Amino acid sequence: MNVDEAARVPVVIVGAGPVGVTAALLLARRGIRSVVLERHRDIYPLPRAVAGDDEIHRILQAAGVGEEFTAISRPAGGLRLLDARHRVMAEFRRSRRGRHGYPQSSMFDQPELERVLRDALAKHPECELRGGVEVTGVGPDTAGPVRVTYRDDTGEHELWAEAVLGCDGAGSLTREAIGGVWEDLHFEERWTVIDAETTGPVRCWEGVDQVCDPKQPATFMRVNDTRYRWEFRQREGQETVRELVAPWLPPSYDGDFDVVRETQYTFRARVADRWRSGRVFLLGDAAHLTPPFVGQGLCSGLRDAHNLTWKLARVLQQGGHERQLDTYESERRPHARHVVRLAVLMGWAMTGGQDGAAAIRRRALSAACRIPGLAERAGRDLSPPLTAGPLVRRGVRRGLVGTHCPQPWVSVGGRRTRLDEALGDSFAVLTATGPGPSLTALAHALGVPALPVTDLGDDGTLAAWLRAGRADAVLLRPDRIVMDVVPSGGRDFTSTAAWSPLLHTTRSPVPSERTAPKSLLRSTT
């Protein structure tokens, strides 16, 4: 195939929302060039996503904007369920420091997040953003490069990419191009969303309120010092904005109240039946749609980017086995489907639904809220363990495999830093004690550190985590998922022979001038 070299690019990303730009940043930090195609010339200025968890904060750290996100976000206290009279039925607290080293729940303004991401993108020569363009075609799916066509003010253009990431939202052209269709998980409701600015005495707490009122279910949260979000399920004879928000303001309040946005959304629960065709992949809303009741819409999209980009970089840059790319859909689709179904369950329970069983569900919810320990369990990580597969092995100790390694602060060479920054962007082996010959040999073969956690100078988090999981050592993937364990008293990882071929690469990584700093631990191994 004769293709103009100027039109060749390793990765084309369709869509420059948070998912697409984060994917570009994660690839850039591994030295992979990308062109991001976006129909808007600038970020969309109105708020949409407002909540995220500590896992996405960790992903943004991996993309190089963790501290910047800290600066624009506010820790949130958790979730409260209120009855129709706004009395507290249950409270699900979220910690200010979760497993990933950040607040378990944070509030933010999406345009601010997008500006942080765009500013970071502009600093990477590996990334090129082309705004004001319309993508007109992706494919066909062949064994060679993928053709992407688009038009702008100057006419029609084409790019040939080794991989295409479709981050182009619910109406995804990329999804259509690979023949993907929606699996409907049977939730569809029309809601009014109101974002407002006010300095008035709004009655609120440092978290999210869900009003479980069958006549007027609502969600409310404070985003920052003066910005608030209300969501109301639509009904006939809908009140004005001031009538809807009246329960949160003093009866006589007549001060400032600036409606930043009032819009209507149809909340849906859907998952695409396929996320990949060849080297074309779906991410974010192109692959899954979730009601907002557990605040996981944007989180799921960023998890997609984090899961795929390290695998894609190993295949494109290091000659890694193509089967690694198969694990993207097999790992992410069941995970995303679980989160969507959880949101549907929470939505039906909290809003009551509109069918004959609504009263029964509300009574069951009220009784469940009184179960001892339920609030604590509900406040745990919403991200379930990954299921078994080529890059997630199930050994004799199942407790840690498929879950995230916690991220404490550690001390290396007298410098305090977060664990992921210390480990770098590749695999890592953590041991409860000094590594034996087999672990040392494995670490050497992978070109990664084999580190006793006692040498990391943390607060004991990692040692306690290994003890609780009854593990003497863990193999961590670049996304910090536990791939395999050495059980307590064991001698080696349980499935080395099965997954070693997948980890073999034919080329050394090509460093980027602007790539992330190398691990602080390289010189210690």
Side-chain angles (χ1 to χ4, degrees):
M1 181 184 299
N2 294 320
V3 179
D4 183 358
E5 286 301 316
R8 286 183 177 272
V9 63
V11 179
V12 168
I13 298 174
V14 184
V19 175
V21 176
T22 299
L25 291 172
L26 290 168
L27 289 170
R29 286 168 67 86
R30 289 179 164 84
I32 303 293
R33 282 195 311 118
S34 66
V35 172
V36 186
L37 303 176
E38 169 58 41
R39 63 190 181 97
H40 296 293
R41 295 190 181 277
D42 200 355
I43 63 171
Y44 187 70
L46 295 179
R48 284 152 292 158
V50 294
D53 60 23
D54 53 332
E55 184 180 345
I56 71 137
H57 203 153
R58 190 175 186 176
I59 294 170
L60 292 171
Q61 173 194 328
V65 295
E67 295 307 312
E68 291 83 351
F69 183 68
T70 298
I72 65 166
S73 61
R74 179 184 67 82
L79 171 70
R80 295 193 312 186
L81 305 184
L82 311 181
D83 65 13
R85 296 170 60 183
H86 288 211
R87 295 174 301 187
V88 177
M89 299 166 57
E91 187 173 297
F92 306 98
R93 286 274 177 184
R94 302 292 274 172
S95 169
R96 293 183 70 90
R97 180 178 174 183
R99 165 187 294 265
H100 300 282
Y102 295 102
Q104 284 186 304
S105 181
S106 294
M107 310 302 298
F108 62 91
D109 182 54
Q110 182 169 333
E112 287 188 313
L113 171 60
E114 293 200 39
R115 179 56 60 199
V116 163
L117 292 169
R118 292 282 186 97
D119 288 347
L121 194 76
K123 298 175 183 177
H124 281 279
E126 299 89 352
C127 306
E128 180 184 354
L129 173 61
R130 300 181 187 178
V133 308
E134 178 188 359
V135 176
T136 55
V138 175
D141 179 23
T142 64
V146 182
R147 182 171 180 257
V148 179
T149 57
Y150 69 95
R151 69 169 64 98
D152 60 16
D153 293 341
T154 66
E156 303 283 342
H157 307 275
E158 68 178 19
L159 293 169
W160 293 85
E162 294 299 313
V164 175
L165 310 188
C167 307
D168 45 346
S172 172
L173 176 146
T174 313
R175 187 179 60 250
E176 294 180 4
I178 69 170
V181 297
W182 287 123
E183 174 195 3
D184 190 348
L185 299 184
H186 308 296
F187 185 95
E188 185 168 322
E189 290 186 347
R190 290 283 292 175
W191 282 62
T192 296
V193 179
I194 300 166
D195 289 279
E197 292 266 5
T198 180
T199 58
V202 179
R203 180 170 56 83
C204 65
W205 77 304
E206 296 304 306
V208 178
D209 278 340
Q210 177 65 54
V211 182
C212 305
D213 178 1
K215 295 181 180 179
Q216 184 62 91
T219 305
F220 166 71
M221 65 208 75
R222 181 171 75 88
V223 179
N224 58 33
D225 289 344
T226 59
R227 174 72 63 84
Y228 300 87
R229 160 74 59 88
W230 284 270
E231 299 170 355
F232 301 93
R233 190 173 67 196
Q234 290 186 1
R235 60 181 182 176
E236 293 185 8
Q238 188 74 53
E239 299 95 328
T240 66
V241 169
R242 291 304 290 264
E243 289 172 333
L244 286 168
V245 305
W248 287 268
L249 290 166
S252 60
Y253 181 72
D254 194 29
D256 66 303
F257 192 88
D258 179 21
V259 177
V260 177
R261 183 187 68 150
E262 178 187 1
T263 190
Q264 287 72 46
Y265 278 114
T266 300
F267 294 158
R268 293 186 173 94
R270 294 177 175 178
V271 178
D273 67 335
R274 61 188 308 188
W275 290 30
R276 178 194 179 194
S277 176
R279 290 280 186 85
V280 182
F281 304 86
L282 302 181
L283 296 81
D285 286 354
H288 43 77
L289 298 174
T290 180
F293 302 115
V294 292
Q296 290 291 298
L298 178 59
C299 299
S300 292
L302 294 186
R303 290 191 190 104
D304 297 342
H306 201 212
N307 183 286
L308 176 60
T309 50
W310 72 266
K311 300 170 183 175
L312 188 59
R314 285 181 62 82
V315 172
L316 296 183
Q317 188 185 60
Q318 297 175 253
H321 201 295
E322 190 82 12
R323 282 182 58 203
Q324 291 179 83
L325 301 180
D326 295 336
T327 66
Y328 168 62
E329 181 174 345
S330 66
E331 289 181 354
R332 283 296 306 140
R333 188 171 183 271
H335 191 279
R337 195 173 188 274
H338 169 90
V339 172
V340 174
R341 290 182 66 86
L342 177 62
V344 170
L345 177 64
M346 293 290 284
W348 280 110
M350 293 191 297
T351 68
Q354 301 179 64
D355 60 9
I360 297 174
R361 282 195 298 273
R362 288 192 298 278
R363 286 195 295 270
L365 173 64
S366 180
C369 289
R370 294 191 292 270
I371 297 175
L374 175 65
E376 179 184 354
R377 292 195 298 273
R380 292 176 184 169
D381 197 347
L382 291 173
S383 183
L386 295 184
T387 54
L391 294 175
V392 179
R393 304 305 302 177
R394 295 301 191 191
V396 295
R397 300 299 184 195
R398 297 175 179 266
L400 299 184
V401 177
T403 69
H404 280 93
C405 171
Q407 182 181 215
W409 285 87
V410 298
S411 179
V412 180
R415 176 182 172 185
R416 295 287 291 171
T417 187
R418 296 183 187 274
L419 177 67
D420 290 359
E421 297 295 333
L423 295 180
D425 291 329
S426 188
F427 293 85
V429 175
L430 298 182
T431 69
T433 58
S438 62
L439 296 187
T440 301
L442 171 65
H444 179 75
L446 293 175
V448 303
L451 301 164
V453 296
T454 52
D455 291 352
L456 289 173
D458 76 332
D459 58 4
T461 297
L462 294 172
W465 173 67
L466 288 173
R467 284 196 303 272
R470 293 182 291 175
D472 282 346
V474 291
L475 173 61
L476 303 182
R477 306 183 339 178
D479 55 5
R480 300 306 163 227
I481 294 288
V482 177
M483 182 173 175
D484 208 345
V485 302
V486 175
S488 296
R491 291 181 297 178
D492 206 343
F493 290 107
T494 56
S495 308
T496 304
W499 50 248
S500 287
L502 282 180
L503 302 187
H504 177 70
T505 56
T506 60
R507 299 188 298 274
S508 298
V510 179
S512 164
E513 293 181 3
R514 303 282 301 209
T515 197
K518 295 298 182 183
S519 164
L520 299 174
L521 301 169
R522 296 297 188 205
S523 61
T524 69
T525 60

